[in-house]
Amino acid sequence: AVDLYDLRTEMATWVARAPVAVGHRPGDRVAPPSRRRHDLPETRRRCDTSGALDLAAAAARARPAVDLYDLSDTLTEYSTAWEWQRAILDLRLRHLARDDADDAMLEEANDDDDAPLGSRDVVLMVQHPPVVTLGTGSTAANLKFDPDAPGAPFPVHRTERGGEATYHGPGQLVIYPIVNLQDGHHRPDLHWYMRSLEDVAVATMESLGVAKPGRIDGLTGAWANVNVSPPGADDRESHRLGTPDGTSAPGDIAGREHKLAAIGVRARRWVTYHGMALNVDPNLSHFRAIVPCGIGDRPVGSVAQMLGGRAGVVSALDDGVTFDRDGGESIDGFDWPGADEALMRAARVAAMDAFERVFRVRLRLRRGAPDVTAIAGDGSGR
């Protein structure tokens, strides 16, 4: 396992400066070590760095370790990721249900590189092949195709998460945290948890250079161009601008709020599953097949689209599915050539960093896919 949160560099810099700072007043000239004055009391001349190092270690330990399985460099079938989530969730609940006598062992597992699967929280990071998922309360009215028809553009999965119809596909970074909200580091509150996931998406977008990332009151998810309107535009109507073919007008992009991240979650005994999908560089034409998250009159966008100054897709302005699932549909004159791999790599790093900062955890990268095959046998996994 690789610890992605490390204070050693920061603390080494602090320690290197500390001896000079002792007894130094603003404006004083600091002499080289060989010529520095030694008339200060012994207790002030010395700088004991052991306390600072202990503090760094304590701070690192205070952030619980979370196993990260990053499979996002390939495509993972939705059904496979769903199987992983359910298996890890069951294991996590089983570990948390142990008697108090096992607390010491569970605490020790927090820093064990080879801790069994489920003994601590897990984050799955994936990309999916094109697929549409529906939440528990989703209605078929938010699909623009018959999912049972032989020519249906995408497979459709009914899930246990909240929310409406969502599209997943290549170029989209999907994060599934299996996190215990009652561990003392978080809050047993799904509203807090969803706002935290939004914070992760917003921080990731900001790191990648997306303009004005943020939230919109009353709407779940993370958006770009928040609180930005073209001169003279009515804020309440700016999101309704668009062109008949279902795309935003290119000149209106400065005043358009684009949704870049969708969030849908569920929890059992305060352990979460499902999660967040961030549009990094997907084929946005595929969103025309649905009413994304039940919101048809606001554009869906991506990091790549926003950085390129192009327009997103407004589902309500497109009456039908007019794309080839495997084709390179043109949006606003721009052909989708496939996801930008360099941008995807940058998004992974930014998302990992944002998750650590928002949830105050240490992500420990585990190699390969989670081995859930052993769970049915002896109840353990790696």
Side-chain angles (χ1 to χ4, degrees):
V2 178
D3 194 342
L4 300 177
Y5 182 83
D6 194 342
L7 290 175
R8 286 177 297 180
T9 302
E10 179 182 347
M11 292 310 302
T13 303
W14 188 93
V15 170
R17 292 198 307 263
V20 177
V22 173
H24 177 65
R25 295 172 299 177
D28 285 353
R29 178 178 178 275
V30 179
S34 60
R35 296 164 52 194
R36 193 174 302 150
R37 293 174 57 192
H38 294 281
D39 55 353
L40 292 172
E42 181 71 12
T43 54
R44 295 192 62 191
R45 279 196 289 109
R46 290 184 178 177
C47 181
D48 184 359
T49 62
S50 61
L53 295 176
D54 288 346
L55 239 117
R61 285 194 301 270
R63 293 176 177 248
V66 174
D67 288 332
L68 170 67
Y69 290 89
D70 179 12
L71 289 307
S72 60
D73 57 342
T74 60
L75 298 182
T76 300
E77 291 290 341
Y78 184 83
S79 57
T80 299
W82 180 214
E83 177 187 351
W84 290 343
Q85 288 185 76
R86 286 183 293 183
I88 296 170
L89 174 68
D90 288 343
L91 271 179
R92 193 77 183 103
L93 291 171
R94 194 180 307 170
H95 275 270
L96 293 172
R98 291 181 174 180
D99 294 335
D100 293 341
D102 294 323
D103 284 351
M105 185 273 290
L106 293 175
E107 184 67 25
E108 183 179 349
N110 189 51
D111 286 315
D112 183 1
D113 285 347
D114 200 31
L117 184 63
S119 62
R120 55 192 178 202
D121 292 340
V122 172
V123 170
L124 303 174
M125 187 178 293
V126 300
Q127 287 187 74
H128 292 305
V131 63
V132 170
T133 65
L134 300 174
T136 52
S138 297
T139 169
N142 286 320
L143 299 178
K144 295 184 179 181
F145 61 93
D146 181 356
D148 298 322
F154 308 118
V156 176
H157 292 269
R158 174 74 68 174
T159 74
E160 295 179 314
R161 64 166 174 80
E164 277 289 348
T166 301
Y167 165 80
H168 299 302
Q172 184 187 73
L173 194 62
V174 185
I175 299 175
Y176 297 122
I178 298 94
V179 172
N180 175 24
L181 297 182
Q182 291 194 113
D183 66 351
H185 296 276
H186 310 305
R187 299 182 193 173
D189 181 339
L190 286 182
H191 292 288
W192 172 86
Y193 176 62
M194 292 176 69
R195 300 297 81 79
S196 297
L197 287 178
E198 290 171 348
D199 286 343
V200 171
V202 169
T204 303
M205 292 157 59
E206 189 172 34
S207 295
L208 296 173
V210 173
K212 301 289 184 180
R215 301 191 185 99
I216 295 179
D217 289 344
L219 298 176
T220 301
W223 303 69
N225 277 352
V226 174
N227 297 325
V228 178
S229 298
D234 185 336
D235 289 344
R236 294 168 299 176
E237 298 299 323
S238 66
H239 68 276
R240 299 185 185 279
L241 302 174
T243 57
D245 67 353
T247 66
S248 313
D252 297 331
I253 193 169
R256 304 298 304 276
E257 296 163 333
H258 284 62
K259 185 169 185 177
L260 270 64
I263 293 172
V265 304
R266 193 173 179 88
R268 281 174 51 195
R269 284 180 268 164
W270 296 112
V271 178
T272 66
Y273 54 119
H274 296 291
M276 176 186 82
L278 174 64
N279 296 335
V280 180
D281 190 14
N283 188 339
L284 289 177
S285 73
H286 288 182
F287 284 90
R288 292 176 175 171
I290 63 173
V291 180
C293 302
I295 306 170
D297 60 354
R298 294 181 185 245
V300 173
S302 69
V303 173
Q305 162 260 325
M306 294 301 298
L307 295 180
R310 301 184 301 274
V313 170
V314 182
S315 175
L317 299 178
D318 188 10
D319 293 332
V321 182
T322 58
F323 58 86
D324 178 1
R325 173 181 173 182
D326 298 317
E329 175 71 14
S330 174
I331 299 179
D332 190 31
F334 179 80
D335 293 325
W336 187 72
D340 183 327
E341 289 304 317
L343 183 59
M344 289 299 297
R345 286 193 296 270
R348 291 181 198 118
V349 174
M352 292 175 193
D353 178 68
F355 193 92
E356 287 187 321
R357 287 188 285 114
V358 170
F359 285 96
R360 299 187 62 80
V361 297
R362 293 175 294 141
L363 293 176
R364 302 176 72 93
L365 184 62
R366 305 301 292 262
R367 304 298 182 186
D371 181 9
V372 299
T373 58
I375 294 174
D378 61 2
S380 65
R382 292 289 179 185

